Amino acid sequence: MDSGNFNAFPERGFKIIQSFVNEKIIVSMASSIHKWLLVPGLLLLAGWRGSGPANSAKKAHPYYISVVEINHDANDKTLEISCKIFTNDFETTLEKNYKSKIDLSNPKDKPSADRTISDYVKKHLSIKADGRPADFSYLGFEKQDEAVFSYFQADNIATVKKIDVYNSLLHDFSELQINIIHCTVGGKRQSTKLDYPNSNASFSW
């Protein structure tokens, strides 16, 4: 694992448990699609989506998908959040929104890339824990194979019985977008799939 970007943040006191990070870094977007297909009802049609006109200037792929993983760490009283997005799709979307060339594989201005990713995700992803907005902080990003992983953390959440998620990531990129959400609380994982333009999901324990 290339942890250069992720390890740039230890002085800020953020912590992502190793199992949480490994699950999203070891497996590439292309190979892990097979694991997502095992979640009942999630990606029944995902592999049948056409490539469409979006992203035609860059490498095409047959589906447009992101994965948001939310994990509650009761010991640290935090919500650990990761967003997994195809690199080409993400770059195209950020360039469209922020009117500047962005290379997430080899960013020339890493602080600027951090600000752009944080701003975009926070505009398109919001989380409520037991009805209260979760104010999550940006930790950093890293690229692994075909995907970019961005990491966030919400503090001071001791317990949670319900999580509400608003997720419109890359809705401004393609109408074929599929957003998968996994939520884990107390070791119990729930998952759902949001097809464009759906953007709201709720999980209860």
Side-chain angles (χ1 to χ4, degrees):
M1 177 182 73
D2 181 5
S3 59
N5 291 332
F6 178 68
N7 287 335
F9 298 87
E11 67 278 9
R12 296 171 58 184
F14 294 114
K15 175 179 176 290
I16 298 293
I17 60 174
Q18 191 63 41
S19 60
F20 173 71
V21 176
N22 286 344
E23 182 175 352
K24 280 158 286 296
I25 294 175
I26 294 175
V27 185
S28 70
M29 183 73 77
S31 63
S32 60
I33 186 67
H34 300 292
K35 289 172 42 176
W36 301 335
L37 285 167
L38 297 177
V39 180
L42 285 187
L43 291 182
L44 182 60
L45 300 178
W48 300 345
R49 298 294 182 116
S51 59
N55 203 27
S56 59
K58 294 188 176 183
K59 182 180 178 182
H61 46 79
Y63 45 86
Y64 299 93
I65 189 168
S66 79
V67 177
V68 169
E69 185 98 24
I70 303 168
N71 179 70
H72 181 244
D73 187 326
N75 293 328
D76 288 348
K77 302 179 181 179
T78 60
L79 285 181
E80 301 163 335
I81 305 155
S82 76
C83 301
K84 180 180 184 179
I85 302 173
F86 277 117
T87 304
N88 287 342
D89 298 355
F90 204 11
E91 288 175 341
T92 299
T93 303
L94 295 178
E95 289 169 8
K96 174 184 175 182
N97 280 274
Y98 296 91
K99 311 302 180 185
S100 62
K101 180 70 175 178
I102 295 176
D103 183 353
L104 298 180
S105 299
N106 297 289
K108 295 180 179 179
D109 186 345
K110 178 64 165 53
S112 177
D114 283 325
R115 289 191 297 271
T116 300
I117 291 173
S118 176
D119 184 72
Y120 179 83
V121 172
K122 288 183 178 182
K123 285 179 178 177
H124 293 271
L125 179 69
S126 61
I127 299 169
K128 290 183 179 180
D130 293 334
R132 297 185 297 274
D135 183 16
F136 50 87
S137 301
Y138 173 72
L139 304 184
F141 81 93
E142 58 190 339
K143 181 178 178 296
Q144 176 71 18
D145 296 325
E146 300 176 51
V148 167
F149 298 87
S150 54
Y151 301 100
F152 301 82
Q153 181 168 296
D155 297 319
N156 302 315
I157 300 178
T159 60
V160 60
K161 297 297 183 183
K162 182 180 180 183
I163 290 179
D164 298 302
V165 182
Y166 171 81
N167 181 354
S168 64
L169 292 171
L170 271 68
H171 279 192
D172 46 353
F173 172 72
S174 173
E175 294 184 0
L176 299 178
Q177 183 66 27
I178 299 170
N179 290 331
I180 305 298
I181 305 172
H182 301 302
C183 283
T184 303
V185 173
K188 297 179 179 179
R189 194 187 204 206
Q190 298 185 31
S191 302
T192 195
K193 175 175 73 75
L194 296 175
D195 293 309
Y196 176 95
N198 297 326
S199 56
N200 293 291
S202 294
F203 306 87
S204 298
W205 288 266

